[in-house]
Amino acid sequence: MDDKVFTLLEKMYVEMQGMKQNMTTMESKMTAIESNMTTMESNMATKHDIVRLENKMDTNFKALYDGLKLNTEKLYDVETRLGSLEDKVEKNELEIRVIKGAN
């Protein structure tokens, strides 16, 4: 009977050692996973970063819109002046024709 108990204890010990090795392996894998998650968390943008970028983009879009508005106003001014000059040129051409025709 003692041999059977000893054999059973020996088998249990061997199995426990295998389980202990498996646990050690699992612990090392869990440590690696935790390390990867910590790295990923540190690389992720925070809500504060996102809000800051949105504010910066809003400012840039406002500046672009202001520039577009200014360009549009200047273009309108140039078109108005060009129209005025075209009218003056037509008037001068008509006067030149009248003067030449009088001679």
Side-chain angles (χ1 to χ4, degrees), residues 82-95:
L82 181 61
S84 175
L85 289 174
E86 286 174 342
D87 292 343
K88 287 180 183 180
V89 168
E90 286 178 18
K91 182 180 174 188
N92 287 340
E93 286 177 348
L94 182 62
E95 287 178 3

Side-chain angles (χ1 to χ4, degrees), residues 10 18 20 23 30 45 50 54 66-67 69 83 90 92 98:
E10 188 177 16
K20 185 177 179 182
M23 290 292 286
M30 288 295 289
I50 292 169
E54 286 176 350
D66 289 343
K69 185 177 176 184
E90 286 178 18
N92 287 340
V98 170

Side-chain angles (χ1 to χ4, degrees), residues 70-82:
L70 181 64
N71 284 345
T72 303
E73 290 172 357
K74 289 295 181 182
L75 182 61
Y76 178 77
D77 290 343
V78 168
E79 287 175 344
T80 304
R81 288 174 146 183
L82 181 61

